[in-house]
Amino acid sequence: ADEPGDDTAPVTEAPDDTDAPTTEPSDDGEPEETTAPVDPADIAFDYGVTEDTIRIGLNADLSGAFAPLVTQIVDGQEVFWEMVNDQGGIAGRKIELVVLDNAYDVPTHLANYEEMADESDNGVIMFSQSTGSPHTAATAEALVEDNLLAIPLSWYSGYADPDIGLNVMELYTNYCVEAMNAIEYLTGVHDAKTLGIVSFPGDYGEDGAMGAKIAAEALGLEIVYDGTGAVAPGADVTPVVTELVAAQPDIVWATLNPTTFASVFGGAVQQGLQAQWSGNSPNYNYQLLGTELAAALDSFYTHSTYTQLWGVPGEGMDQMIEAMRTYRPDAPLSDVYIVSWTEGLATKAVLEKAAELGDMTRAGVVAAFQQTEVDFLGLAPPQRWFGDPNDFIVRESYLYDVVLENFTPGVTVSDEGGTGFELLEGPYVGSIGASWDYEP
């Protein structure tokens, strides 16, 4: 008899050459049942997939509060799929992106969703980007009803709760754990005793603020200013700045957008606040180093985020930089293309799994998601989405020092330059985030 793992072991084939199980060795030498490749012509499909096309939706903020970041992320994802198409596509099919602007407005997001969820040739197979926490949450029930999957361009901790995010494929760690990690790190480095918090209202701002409060309690920090939900995009920030400066915290945690953050940070620094600042990743845009705030950011800001940033050597980074230089040589240099790439890698992994299983219907793609593990090629920690949330939520984040001399203004992806960062720690998880018990 042949031993498991012997290359001469027999393979069982079905008479019709389709889905017959075969026997292959596992890592421990025991045989595992695998599935023979499915002929692309035999793959089942319904909406968003045809015999030669796969339609993927992006419900993206191209004109609202986060447009400067999101437009670049969309551009990078377009490059990813151009590369995939030139390599043959998925299951013999070329990818077609459907991009609609949600303007960071929930009703507009819902209208876009309904258009792309249509059960016709105009529909999509899944959403590789759904911008915004309240926006994506507003579609969560519909995603389940419509057998659609969405990757949120937001990091709301509620997505890991199956009652909220059953069909939401969140990437990286969440706002809550990110805040725990960063505040624990900064407290240790700067021997901080007091904390100020300023955030937007809603799922984004309040989730980041909650992580900051959990960290403060665990570390014994006194919260001397609690501005949770105190600032709305476009609102006058003067009262917040006044109260923040009066409180004189050692650390300030911000969960805003870059424009609002610049107003709060700039006003506080101008009035003499010498605190160390950080915030959830969407709070900061490296292009702020091209403004009058550059020197203050160099002195007082630590950037927290979820991935490696531009230029860190590795398989995924090298692939992304080569593709951006090939397909968009004049695109501005930006770190957010890493988000584009990881969104693309996750989407591709799910669709390839569905093709492997012979079912690219919407329901088949959701089923494939629940069996998918993604290797982000070093750009971010690997990830899966099944089992107990405490076992699969990502707890690692990355911390970067803002370094003005590492910033090269006006360069493109084809130039040698930098976005003004130096890695401090990452992938990093503090003791608070590591021990945090996620309770849906």
Side-chain angles (χ1 to χ4, degrees):
D2 295 305
E3 292 293 325
D6 186 337
D7 290 340
T8 63
V11 176
T12 304
E13 296 183 355
D16 62 358
D17 261 345
T18 54
D19 295 332
T22 64
T23 301
E24 292 187 356
S26 65
D27 291 340
D28 61 6
E30 292 297 318
E32 281 185 345
E33 190 175 88
T34 62
T35 304
V38 177
D39 188 317
D42 294 332
I43 294 173
F45 58 86
D46 50 17
Y47 312 112
V49 178
T50 67
E51 293 180 351
D52 53 18
T53 304
I54 299 172
R55 287 167 57 87
I56 297 172
L58 289 85
N59 204 346
D61 176 15
L62 304 179
S63 62
F66 291 95
L69 297 173
V70 177
T71 52
Q72 291 182 343
I73 294 171
V74 170
D75 195 31
Q77 197 174 139
E78 288 174 343
V79 167
F80 179 87
W81 293 113
E82 288 171 27
M83 178 192 74
V84 170
N85 282 340
D86 285 347
Q87 293 172 349
I90 296 174
R93 295 158 168 85
K94 294 301 178 71
I95 308 303
E96 177 184 333
L97 295 186
V98 181
V99 183
L100 297 180
D101 180 14
N102 77 0
Y104 206 68
D105 173 68
V106 172
T108 303
H109 189 91
L110 290 170
N112 291 348
Y113 174 87
E114 291 299 326
E115 180 176 341
M116 290 191 276
D118 191 49
E119 294 182 347
S120 71
D121 291 343
N122 295 321
V124 301
I125 186 61
M126 65 174 284
F127 295 90
S128 65
Q129 185 181 120
S130 177
T131 303
S133 298
H135 313 70
T136 303
T139 66
E141 291 184 8
L143 288 167
V144 176
E145 293 169 1
D146 297 330
N147 277 318
L148 280 165
L149 179 67
I151 296 177
L153 185 54
S154 74
W155 295 275
Y156 169 50
S157 63
Y159 295 140
D161 181 351
D163 290 336
I164 297 175
L166 186 64
N167 285 16
V168 178
M169 187 181 183
E170 78 280 4
L171 303 186
Y172 334 128
T173 196
N174 56 57
Y175 298 128
C176 196
V177 173
E178 178 192 10
M180 295 178 209
N181 285 345
I183 289 171
E184 180 172 350
Y185 175 82
L186 291 171
T187 298
V189 170
H190 298 287
D191 192 26
K193 308 298 182 187
T194 58
L195 175 68
I197 298 170
V198 56
S199 84
F200 284 158
D203 293 335
Y204 166 51
E206 292 173 25
D207 202 27
M210 179 56 69
K213 292 174 183 179
I214 291 170
E217 181 177 2
L219 296 167
L221 294 175
E222 179 186 0
I223 298 176
V224 292
Y225 174 71
D226 185 359
T228 301
V231 180
D236 179 18
V237 301
T238 302
V240 170
V241 170
T242 300
E243 292 184 48
L244 193 59
V245 172
Q248 288 291 305
D250 297 326
I251 297 173
V252 179
W253 182 259
T255 309
L256 306 167
N257 70 347
T259 302
T260 308
F261 162 70
S263 297
V264 175
F265 175 78
V269 169
Q270 187 176 30
Q271 293 186 36
L273 182 62
Q274 299 287 301
Q276 291 295 318
W277 292 66
S278 188
N280 289 107
S281 186
N283 184 73
Y284 183 75
N285 186 333
Y286 78 96
Q287 293 172 339
L288 291 173
L289 288 176
T291 72
E292 61 186 8
L293 298 177
L297 290 166
D298 181 280
S299 297
F300 301 125
Y301 199 80
T302 299
H303 181 47
S304 170
T305 192
Y306 317 114
T307 68
Q308 296 281 11
L309 297 183
W310 183 273
V312 177
E315 181 181 358
M317 188 70 67
D318 295 345
Q319 179 192 85
M320 184 201 71
I321 291 175
E322 180 181 358
M324 290 300 302
R325 288 174 172 173
T326 299
Y327 293 91
R328 297 289 190 282
D330 298 326
L333 183 67
S334 176
D335 298 294
V336 298
Y337 301 131
I338 288 91
V339 177
S340 315
W341 224 250
T342 50
E343 287 178 340
L345 287 168
T347 303
K348 182 171 179 279
V350 170
L351 294 177
E352 288 180 335
K353 184 67 174 179
E356 174 192 326
L357 297 173
D359 188 353
M360 296 192 77
T361 64
R362 285 178 172 175
V365 169
V366 171
F369 157 60
Q370 294 164 353
Q371 304 175 54
T372 299
E373 299 187 45
V374 179
D375 178 358
F376 290 112
L377 308 178
L379 294 172
Q383 202 164 349
R384 62 181 177 87
W385 294 265
F386 44 88
D388 185 325
N390 278 299
D391 294 333
F392 70 72
I393 60 169
V394 176
R395 298 174 189 267
E396 298 95 336
S397 56
Y398 295 75
L399 292 155
Y400 292 85
D401 188 20
V402 173
V403 180
L404 181 56
E405 67 178 19
N406 292 348
F407 171 63
T408 315
V411 296
T412 71
V413 296
S414 300
D415 299 319
E416 296 300 327
T419 53
F421 295 117
E422 182 176 297
L423 180 64
L424 295 170
E425 292 286 346
Y428 168 80
V429 58
S431 61
I432 303 167
S435 61
W436 179 60
D437 184 28
Y438 183 87
E439 297 182 0

